[in-house]
C-alpha cells in the first residue's frame, strides 16, 4: 500500500495538489456508488428467498449501506490524496462522524424492522385481542425507548469526537454532583415520562386499543409514544395525555383483563306490570340479538319508589362498543313491548280527591261543595 502511494504521488507530482485531491475524492465517490449498486443487487438476490425480516432489512438498509460504503472508499482514498495535515484531519473527522451515524442508523433501522415483523403475528382486530394488545403495547413502548437511547448515544458519540466537547466532559465529571443536580432538574419532565413509559411497559395499566374512561371521556388508546398517550374518543376527537398521567391519576380501564363487559339498562314501571313477563321478554330480545355474547342476562327489581318500581337489566357483550349498542337495542325493544302489551303499566301520576293540574276539583270535592251550598 505504501509503495502504491509513493508511485501515485510520483506520477502526479507535475499536477497541482488541490486538483489531484479533488480527482481522487471524486473517483472515490464514483467507485463507492458503483460498489454500492453491485453490493445491493447481490444482497437483494441473496435474501430473495429468505424471510421477511432479511428482505426488509436489505430494502430499508439501502441508504445506510450507501453511506457506509462511501465512508469506506473516501477514507481509503483520503490516504492517497496529497492533502495537507489540516485537510486530512478535517476529512477524517467527517468520515468518523459518518461512520458513527451509519452505525446508529443501521441499529435503529434493524430494531424497527424486527419489531414490525414481530408484531405482524398479533392482530388487534381480532374478537379477543387481549394477548395482541399486551404484546403490541410492550413492544412499541420498548422500541421507542430503545430508539431514543440509540439516538442519544449516537449524538453523544459524535459530539465526543470534538476536542472541545471532550474537555467540557472532563470538567463536568470533575463536578459530577452539581452537574447531576442541574441536569436532573432540567430534564425532570422528560425523564419522568421516560421512566413512566418503562413502568407502563412492565405493569401495563393501559394497552393499545384499551377502552378507557379518562377525564370524563370515553375512548380507545390509539397510540403510546415515549412521552404521551393518544386516546381516540368516541366522537373521533383525540385526547393527548402525558405518560405520567396514567401512573399518578385514577382512571377506568374497561378492557384490563378482558374486552367483555356487562351493560346495565334501568327501567321504571308501575307496580302492576308482571316482572316475570318482563324477564321472559328480555331473555327473548337477548337471544335474538347478534350483539349478545350469551354469557350474562338478568332482570332484577332493585328498588321501590313512591310511584314506580326500579327494574335493572344486565346484559353482556364481547366489547365496549357492542355493549353500548346492545343496551340501546334493549331499551328500544323493551319499551316498545311495554307500550304494546302493558300500556297501563307505564309510569303515571295519580291524583285522587285533589285538584288536577288545570285547577278543576275532583268529583268528591265538587259534591261536598254543592251540598254545603
Amino acid at each position: 500500500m505504501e509503495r502504491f502511494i509513493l508511485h501515485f504521488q510520483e506520477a502526479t507530482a507535475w499536477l497541482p495538489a488541490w486538483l489531484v485531491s479533488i480527482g481522487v475524492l471524486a473517483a472515490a465517490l464514483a467507485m463507492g456508488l458503483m460498489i454500492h449498486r453491485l453490493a445491493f443487487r447481490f444482497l437483494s438476490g441473496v435474501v430473495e428467498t429468505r424471510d421477511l425480516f432479511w428482505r426488509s432489512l436489505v430494502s430499508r438498509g439501502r441508504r445506510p449501506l450507501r453511506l457506509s460504503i462511501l465512508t469506506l472508499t473516501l477514507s481509503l482514498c483520503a490516504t492517497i490524496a496529497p492533502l495537507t495535515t489540516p485537510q486530512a484531519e478535517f476529512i477524517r473527522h467527517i468520515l468518523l462522524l459518518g461512520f458513527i451515524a451509519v452505525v446508529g442508523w443501521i441499529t435503529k433501522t434493524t430494531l424497527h424492522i424486527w419489531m414490525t415483523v414481530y408484531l405482524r403475528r398479533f392482530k388487534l382486530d381480532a374478537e379477543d385481542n387481549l394477548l395482541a394488545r399486551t404484546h403490541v403495547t410492550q413492544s412499541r413502548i420498548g422500541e421507542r425507548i430503545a430508539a431514543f437511547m440509540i439516538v442519544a448515544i449516537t449524538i453523544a458519540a459524535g459530539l465526543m469526537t470534538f476536542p472541545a466537547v471532550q474537555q467540557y466532559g472532563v470538567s463536568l465529571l470533575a463536578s459530577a454532583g452539581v452537574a447531576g443536580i442541574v441536569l436532573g432538574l432540567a430534564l425532570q419532565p422528560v425523564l419522568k415520562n421516560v421512566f413512566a413509559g418503562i413502568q407502563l411497559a412492565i405493569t401495563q395499566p393501559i394497552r393499545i386499543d384499551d377502552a378507557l374512561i379518562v377525564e370524563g371521556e370515553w375512548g380507545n388508546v390509539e397510540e403510546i409514544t415515549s412521552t404521551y398517550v393518544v386516546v381516540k374518543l368516541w366522537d373521533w376527537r383525540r385526547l393527548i395525555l402525558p405518560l405520567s398521567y396514567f401512573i399518578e391519576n385514577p382512571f377506568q380501564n374497561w378492557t384490563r383483563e378482558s374486552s367483555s363487559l356487562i351493560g346495565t339498562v334501568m327501567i321504571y314501571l308501575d307496580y302492576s306490570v308482571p316482572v316475570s313477563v318482563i324477564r321472559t321478554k328480555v331473555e327473548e330480545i337477548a337471544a335474538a340479538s347478534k350483539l349478545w355474547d350469551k354469557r350474562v342476562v338478568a332482570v332484577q327489581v332493585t328498588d321501590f319508589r313512591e310511584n314506580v318500581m326500579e327494574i335493572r337489566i344486565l346484559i353482556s357483550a364481547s366489547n365496549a362498543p357492542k355493549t353500548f349498542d346492545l343496551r340501546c337495542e334493549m331499551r328500544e325493544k323493551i319499551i316498545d313491548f311495554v307500550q304494546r302489551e302493558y300500556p297501563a303499566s307505564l309510569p303515571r301520576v295519580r291524583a285522587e280527591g285533589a285538584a288536577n293540574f288545570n285547577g278543576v276539583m275532583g268529583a268528591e270535592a265538587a259534591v261536598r261543595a254543592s251540598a254545603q251550598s
Side-chain angles (χ1 to χ4, degrees):
M1 185 67 179
E2 294 179 357
R3 184 176 301 176
F4 172 77
I5 295 175
L6 290 175
H7 284 300
F8 178 79
Q9 291 176 349
E10 291 176 358
T12 58
W14 58 277
L15 292 172
W18 63 268
L19 182 60
V20 176
S21 299
I22 292 176
V24 170
L25 295 178
L29 287 174
M31 183 174 60
L33 292 175
M34 184 176 61
I35 294 175
H36 168 260
R37 181 175 298 180
L38 295 175
F40 183 75
R41 287 182 181 178
F42 174 75
L43 292 175
S44 299
V46 170
V47 301
E48 187 175 359
T49 58
R50 302 290 295 273
D51 56 25
L52 180 61
F53 171 76
W54 293 106
R55 286 186 280 116
S56 300
L57 182 60
V58 172
S59 177
R60 294 287 296 271
R62 183 171 187 170
R63 288 182 293 177
L65 178 63
R66 182 191 299 124
L67 181 58
S68 61
I69 292 176
L70 289 177
T71 302
L72 177 62
T73 56
L74 286 172
S75 62
L76 292 175
C77 292
T79 60
I80 301 175
L83 298 171
T84 63
T85 302
Q87 291 173 344
E89 291 180 354
F90 175 76
I91 291 179
R92 290 192 184 95
H93 193 190
I94 295 298
L95 294 176
L96 178 59
L97 292 176
F99 174 75
I100 294 173
V102 165
V103 172
W105 193 355
I106 292 177
T107 305
K108 189 173 181 295
T109 301
T110 304
L111 173 67
H112 176 73
I113 293 173
W114 183 85
M115 199 64 66
T116 302
V117 174
Y118 172 74
L119 292 179
R120 286 170 64 93
R121 297 184 292 176
F122 305 100
K123 303 295 183 182
L124 289 175
D125 54 356
E127 187 69 24
D128 187 3
N129 60 356
L130 177 60
L131 181 62
R133 289 187 285 110
T134 299
H135 283 274
V136 169
T137 302
Q138 287 181 331
S139 301
R140 288 185 178 175
I141 294 178
E143 179 188 0
R144 288 187 172 93
I145 293 174
F148 174 80
M149 297 300 294
I150 291 171
V151 172
I153 293 173
T154 302
I155 294 175
L159 291 176
M160 292 301 292
T161 61
F162 295 90
V165 177
Q166 289 179 346
Q167 295 174 3
Y168 184 66
V170 172
S171 65
L172 281 180
L173 291 176
S175 56
V178 177
I181 295 175
V182 173
L183 186 62
L185 292 175
L187 298 180
Q188 184 179 4
V190 176
L191 296 176
K192 182 179 181 181
N193 284 302
V194 169
F195 286 112
I198 297 173
Q199 189 172 352
L200 284 176
I202 296 174
T203 61
Q204 290 200 334
I206 60 171
R207 306 180 184 92
I208 297 293
D209 205 39
D210 269 356
L212 306 181
I213 297 291
V214 57
E215 294 292 312
E217 301 279 3
W218 181 88
N220 292 90
V221 178
E222 184 177 47
E223 184 181 5
I224 301 177
T225 71
S226 57
T227 55
Y228 61 88
V229 176
V230 180
V231 180
K232 182 180 180 181
L233 303 181
W234 65 274
D235 56 359
W236 299 352
R237 290 178 294 144
R238 265 63 173 182
L239 183 63
I240 313 296
L241 297 166
L243 282 176
S244 57
Y245 177 92
F246 296 94
I247 301 298
E248 300 172 351
N249 298 281
F251 60 92
Q252 295 184 36
N253 189 337
W254 288 10
T255 52
R256 178 67 178 86
E257 297 295 337
S258 172
S259 59
S260 299
L261 290 172
I262 296 177
T264 303
V265 175
M266 308 297 295
I267 58 174
Y268 300 88
L269 299 175
D270 190 77
Y271 290 109
S272 61
V273 68
V275 178
S276 60
V277 174
I278 298 296
R279 181 175 290 109
T280 302
K281 185 62 179 178
V282 167
E283 294 174 353
E284 177 185 332
I285 295 172
S289 176
K290 296 180 180 179
L291 302 174
W292 185 45
D293 63 0
K294 298 178 175 56
R295 295 179 63 182
V296 175
V297 59
V299 176
Q300 300 169 315
V301 178
T302 54
D303 196 8
F304 285 142
R305 306 286 178 87
E306 182 180 359
N307 300 312
V308 294
M309 61 179 172
E310 179 184 83
I311 298 179
R312 184 181 69 179
I313 300 172
L314 300 180
I315 190 166
S316 62
S318 58
N319 55 49
K322 287 184 179 181
T323 303
F324 179 82
D325 293 339
L326 183 57
R327 292 170 63 199
C328 295
E329 179 183 350
M330 181 62 68
R331 291 190 189 98
E332 295 171 3
K333 292 185 176 181
I334 199 66
I335 194 62
D336 179 69
F337 170 75
V338 174
Q339 288 173 344
R340 286 186 291 101
E341 303 296 333
Y342 299 94
S345 296
L346 294 172
R348 64 183 62 192
V349 177
R350 295 185 177 88
E352 297 180 2
N356 60 18
F357 292 106
N358 295 322
V360 180
M361 291 185 297
E364 296 181 0
V367 171
R368 189 180 303 108
S370 61
Q372 291 177 353
S373 60

